[in-house]
């Protein structure tokens, strides 16, 4: 299997996580962490349900992966996430020593691996990771576009009453 085909397979698992978030009324972002061909961490946004600002998809997946490996060092892993990581998540990925981060669509408001900041490739930090943007970009973007359009429509209807 080619690298792109493999990346798309794992991104589809992250998209499935994003759909779980959407079903819970959360912003549809999903993530998986892969180690030696197996998913060892999964997560989707849970900020609204948990009322915890750190329960981003990536953070949940990182915690699960660390438990699975019995180590905070997530060497020989790759994170797949539907939306470019924010500064908190990109920092956690640096601290966890994740070597490869693959994302679907860029985040113009909080993207910290390419769009606004380049935390994963900053030479001043003690760890850097490979950045692979744009895997299944359209599918990932559509999830977010549809979710926020529904919220705007709901809010517009509520204002008209």
């Amino acid at each position: 299997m080619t690298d792109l085909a493999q990346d798309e397979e794992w991104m589809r698992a992250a998209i499935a996580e994003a759909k779980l978030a959407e079903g819970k009324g959360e912003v549809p972002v999903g993530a998986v962490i892969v180690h030696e061909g197996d998913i060892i961490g999964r997560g989707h946004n849970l900020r609204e349900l948990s009322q915890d600002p750190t329960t981003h998809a990536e953070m949940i997946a990182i915690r699960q992966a660390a438990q699975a490996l019995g180590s905070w060092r997530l060497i020989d892993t790759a994170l797949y996430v539907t939306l470019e990581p924010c500064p908190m998540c990109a920092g956690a990925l640096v601290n966890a020593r994740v070597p490869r981060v693959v994302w679907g669509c860029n985040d113009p408001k909080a993207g910290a691996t390419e769009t606004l900041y380049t935390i994963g490739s900053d030479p001043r930090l003690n760890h850097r990771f490979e950045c692979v943007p744009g895997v299944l970009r359209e599918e990932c973007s559509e999830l977010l576009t549809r979710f926020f359009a529904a919220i705007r429509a709901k809010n517009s209807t509520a204002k008209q009453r």
Side-chain angles (χ1 to χ4, degrees), residues 2-67:
T2 66
D3 286 344
L4 178 59
Q6 188 68 66
D7 284 347
E8 288 179 354
E9 178 183 335
W10 296 125
M11 187 60 73
R12 289 190 198 293
I15 289 170
E17 286 293 321
K19 289 177 180 177
L20 291 174
E22 183 177 33
K24 296 174 181 177
E26 296 279 350
V27 175
V29 177
V32 296
I33 295 181
V34 177
H35 178 259
E36 296 179 351
D38 293 314
I39 294 175
I40 61 167
R42 294 177 178 274
H44 54 271
N45 277 5
L46 290 173
R47 287 189 312 172
E48 296 301 327
L49 287 172
S50 69
Q51 289 301 298
D52 177 347
T54 69
T55 53
H56 287 200
E58 301 97 318
M59 299 297 284
I60 294 166
I62 288 168
R63 288 180 188 118
Q64 282 186 11
Q67 277 192 317

Side-chain angles (χ1 to χ4, degrees), residues 109 141-160:
K109 297 190 181 214
S141 180
E142 177 59 31
L143 279 169
L144 292 161
T145 300
R146 187 179 63 237
F147 178 80
F148 287 113
I151 288 175
R152 285 190 296 277
K154 182 180 175 184
N155 290 341
S156 176
T157 302
K159 287 180 183 177
Q160 292 175 358

